[in-house]
């Protein structure tokens, strides 16, 4: 297999794993936000209905829970959790599709260079779009670790081949751990 193709397979797989992790993160955050949006007012209302009056301690608790709910809601709007979740889904789908196309290309010899060049252009477009998503160094290390494990390759920094998807807690490599 061509080394350039192997590198693209590695990169594409790692990038897909980064966005897969983001999809899970933002799905959880938006579910939690929706849950809190319904749970907190419902609990406060049910307590009031059950007791009839609310003590000052209960009012303080309700105020604190309400403030937490509002702050979480405001943060979700400011940080654009919904937009990030939708983008991550699209990016994951694109990266998985590109990975499959590259992997299938490895199986054929016919028109290899033409197809590979077309896929490189597609990858370039995706990377330009992904730049706006501020992928962190920790996420890059996460994607690198996933790809090293998947392809059973040696890390260029620590010279180890990962035996698990998660590094040991004491592992300090700035290429395949510390995420």
């Amino acid at each position: 297999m061509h080394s350039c193709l192997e590198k693209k397979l590695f990169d594409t797989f790692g990038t897909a794993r980064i966005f897969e992790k983001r999809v899970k993160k933002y799905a959880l955050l938006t579910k939690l936000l929706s849950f809190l949006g319904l749970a907190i007012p419902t609990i406060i209302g049910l307590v009031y209905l059950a007791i009839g009056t609310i003590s000052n301690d209960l009012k303080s608790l309700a105020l604190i829970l309400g403030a937490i709910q509002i702050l979480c809601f405001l943060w979700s709007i400011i940080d654009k959790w919904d937009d990030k979740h939708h983008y991550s889904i699209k990016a994951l789908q694109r990266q998985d599709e590109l990975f499959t196309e590259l992997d299938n290309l490895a199986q054929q010899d016919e028109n290899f260079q033409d197809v590979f060049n077309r896929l490189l252009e597609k990858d370039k477009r995706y990377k330009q779009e992904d730049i706006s998503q501020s992928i962190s160094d920790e996420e890059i290390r996460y994607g690198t670790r996933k790809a090293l494990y998947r392809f059973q390759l040696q890390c260029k920094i620590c010279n180890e081949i990962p035996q698990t998807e998660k590094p040991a807690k004491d592992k300090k490599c700035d290429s395949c751990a510390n995420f």
Side-chain angles (χ1 to χ4, degrees):
M1 191 183 307
H2 304 312
S3 64
C4 202
L5 175 58
E6 290 172 347
K7 179 167 178 16
K8 282 295 161 200
L9 281 166
F10 181 90
D11 291 345
T12 304
F13 184 84
T15 303
R17 301 299 63 86
I18 290 169
F19 284 110
E20 179 180 51
K21 185 176 181 181
R22 283 186 176 194
V23 166
K24 291 175 184 175
K25 171 187 169 184
Y26 289 113
L28 176 64
L29 286 172
T30 54
K31 284 178 188 176
L32 185 60
L33 186 65
S34 296
F35 174 76
L36 289 175
L38 291 171
I40 291 173
T42 302
I43 291 169
I44 293 169
L46 288 173
V47 168
Y48 178 75
L49 286 173
I51 298 174
T53 60
I54 297 181
S55 69
N56 284 339
D57 290 341
L58 207 50
K59 284 181 185 177
S60 297
L61 179 62
L63 180 65
I64 291 169
L65 290 176
I68 290 170
Q69 177 186 354
I70 290 169
L71 290 173
C72 288
F73 178 73
L74 288 173
W75 184 252
S76 76
I77 291 172
I78 291 167
D79 198 40
K80 300 180 181 185
W81 290 355
D82 282 341
D83 293 347
K84 289 180 178 181
H85 184 239
H86 292 296
Y87 184 90
S88 296
I89 290 170
K90 284 177 24 182
L92 173 60
Q93 290 169 337
R94 288 189 325 224
Q95 292 297 325
D96 278 344
E97 175 187 310
L98 183 59
F99 178 81
T100 301
E101 290 176 6
L102 287 165
D103 197 35
N104 289 340
L105 180 60
Q107 311 302 322
Q108 68 179 358
D109 290 328
E110 218 172 280
N111 301 326
F112 176 88
Q113 199 58 50
D114 292 338
V115 175
F116 187 61
N117 288 340
R118 182 182 57 79
L119 294 175
L120 287 177
E121 280 301 313
K122 188 187 276 192
D123 181 53
K124 185 178 177 182
R125 281 193 318 273
Y126 293 165
K127 280 185 179 181
Q128 289 172 345
E129 291 177 27
D130 293 346
I131 286 171
S132 68
Q133 298 303 303
S134 302
I135 296 175
S136 70
D137 290 342
E138 290 83 12
E139 289 174 312
I140 291 170
R141 289 191 291 268
Y142 173 82
T144 300
R145 176 73 180 207
K146 291 288 190 174
L148 287 171
Y149 178 74
R150 160 69 167 74
F151 294 104
Q152 284 298 286
L153 297 174
Q154 187 177 44
C155 175
K156 293 180 181 177
I157 303 296
C158 68
N159 297 320
E160 290 182 19
I161 298 174
Q163 299 304 307
T164 62
E165 289 187 354
K166 292 183 180 181
K169 293 196 186 279
D170 61 340
K171 186 152 178 75
K172 300 295 181 204
C173 180
D174 280 334
S175 178
C176 68
N178 294 334
F179 52 85

